[in-house]
Amino acid sequence: MKRLLDIARVVRSKNSGPYELVLDVILRDRTLFDALRASGQFSPQRLAAAYGVSLREIRRIIWFAPANAVKVVMPRQIVSGSPGDSDVYGAQQHAPLLDLEFDL
């Protein structure tokens, strides 16, 4: 089992406007990218469970081979800048990804 943190060069999050959050994962090399993609383990079901949201909230998973990257788009739980928002830029929302493990 390999933790995402060990196979990724970059794991980050950011806003895509005030209503959406984008999670970016850039894998260390093409071999790891291909293995993760082919495994089917980086799935909407797995991400929804990690974030404690419904499956329909994982709007898109975009695999981008030229950069060995995968992008996830999901709604923000609190609109950016609204009362109660503790992360206006969405830059701290990638933490649930860090301990995910994959059998590659």
Side-chain angles (χ1 to χ4, degrees):
M1 297 295 282
K2 296 184 184 279
R3 290 185 323 147
L4 185 62
L5 191 57
D6 296 329
I7 64 172
R9 178 170 298 171
V10 173
V11 180
R12 66 183 177 207
S13 60
K14 61 187 179 248
N15 287 342
S16 176
Y19 305 104
E20 282 187 326
L21 183 67
V22 173
L23 310 171
D24 293 320
V25 177
I26 302 172
L27 283 299
R28 292 193 181 277
D29 58 42
R30 185 58 182 260
T31 301
L32 289 167
F33 171 85
D34 289 340
L36 183 61
R37 186 176 188 180
S39 77
Q41 296 174 64
F42 196 85
S43 66
Q45 295 82 0
R46 188 98 181 265
L47 294 166
Y51 278 86
V53 299
S54 71
L55 187 58
R56 66 180 167 77
E57 291 192 54
I58 305 302
R59 292 191 177 149
R60 289 185 297 281
I61 297 178
I62 303 156
W63 295 90
F64 187 65
N68 299 324
V70 59
K71 180 180 294 273
V72 179
V73 181
M74 57 193 288
R76 284 183 54 107
Q77 297 304 305
I78 298 175
V79 176
S80 179
S82 294
D85 183 14
S86 62
D87 185 10
V88 173
Y89 300 108
Q92 299 174 37
Q93 303 306 308
H94 60 283
L97 297 177
L98 299 179
D99 289 327
L100 289 181
E101 293 185 339
F102 303 94
D103 186 13
L104 301 179

